[in-house]
Structure formats: structure tokens, C-alpha cells
Amino acid sequence: ENYDDAIPLYQALNDSTPEWSCPWRHKGTSFYYLKKYNEAEISLQKSVDTNIEHYDAYIWLAKTQYQLSKYKLALQNLETALKLNPNAEENNDEVLSEDSIRTLHQELLKKVGKK
């Protein structure tokens, strides 16, 4: 995947349809894979702000905040995701495995001293 090329395309979608959470999420994921975690966090936060039920956006936001050592925020976002319906989004292109989500949850609990 060429994430550098994808970001301007997602940005164009953000500019034309700023209330559509999916392009924000995909742009955030692209930044994540480029290890641009601050930019990823901004886009992913915008994704959940525009759709408070965007399950995978919360998970990617938690993964990003983990990378930024924002463990409490990451845990809050992950636990928000776990209360949502993972199938509510129409798109399953990057479904994260239950195991990877569970592992992240355990890691975050340790980081914030809850395990």
C-alpha cells in the first residue's frame, strides 16, 4: 500500500465531506502506518467526533495513543470500542483480529496499573 499517496486523496474527501467519518479513519490509519502518530491521532479523533459509533476508528485511535504513550486515553477509547457493535460499519476491509484487540487491552491495563 502506498500510504503517502493515499493521504492527499483522503484529505480531499475530508475537505469535501468533513462529516463523513470513514475518510478520517482511513487517513488516520495511513498516518499510523507511516509512524506519523500525532497526525494519525488528529485524524482518528476527527473520525470518532463525526461518528461516535465508529468502532474501528476507536480501536485505531487506541493503537495510536498507545504508540504516543497516552495509555489512559488509549484505554478509554478501546473500552468505548468494546461497547460498540463491530459490525455497524459498512466496511470490513481492515478488521482487526479479536486477539490483537484483546492483547492491546491487556497491555493498556498493565500500563495504567489496572493489572
Side-chain angles (χ1 to χ4, degrees):
E1 300 229 12
N2 196 338
Y3 298 109
D4 281 314
D5 290 343
I7 290 168
L9 302 174
Y10 292 128
Q11 185 59 52
L13 289 167
N14 295 152
D15 292 342
S16 64
T17 52
E19 297 306 310
W20 185 20
S21 68
C22 293
W24 289 110
R25 202 282 281 168
H26 290 288
K27 185 171 76 174
T29 305
S30 296
F31 279 128
Y32 179 92
Y33 284 123
L34 293 169
K35 296 184 175 11
K36 294 181 178 181
Y37 301 120
N38 290 311
E39 294 92 335
E41 183 183 31
I42 292 165
S43 288
L44 293 162
Q45 185 62 56
K46 188 71 176 159
S47 179
V48 299
D49 289 347
T50 56
N51 178 1
I52 59 168
E53 304 210 351
H54 198 143
Y55 170 81
D56 55 346
Y58 282 104
I59 294 189
W60 281 103
L61 183 55
K63 286 169 64 77
T64 299
Q65 289 168 331
Y66 180 89
Q67 295 298 324
L68 292 168
S69 302
K70 296 181 178 183
Y71 303 122
K72 281 189 173 137
L73 277 174
L75 183 60
Q76 286 173 352
N77 283 309
L78 186 61
E79 289 182 341
T80 297
L82 296 175
K83 294 176 193 156
L84 298 173
N85 175 1
N87 302 316
E89 280 302 306
E90 67 282 351
N91 169 336
N92 285 341
D93 60 337
E94 286 181 68
V95 175
L96 295 151
S97 77
E98 298 258 339
D99 285 345
S100 71
I101 294 166
R102 222 180 345 268
T103 300
L104 177 60
H105 193 226
Q106 294 304 315
E107 284 295 311
L108 287 169
L109 288 171
K110 281 183 212 153
K111 294 282 188 189
V112 300
K114 291 190 177 180
K115 271 271 177 192

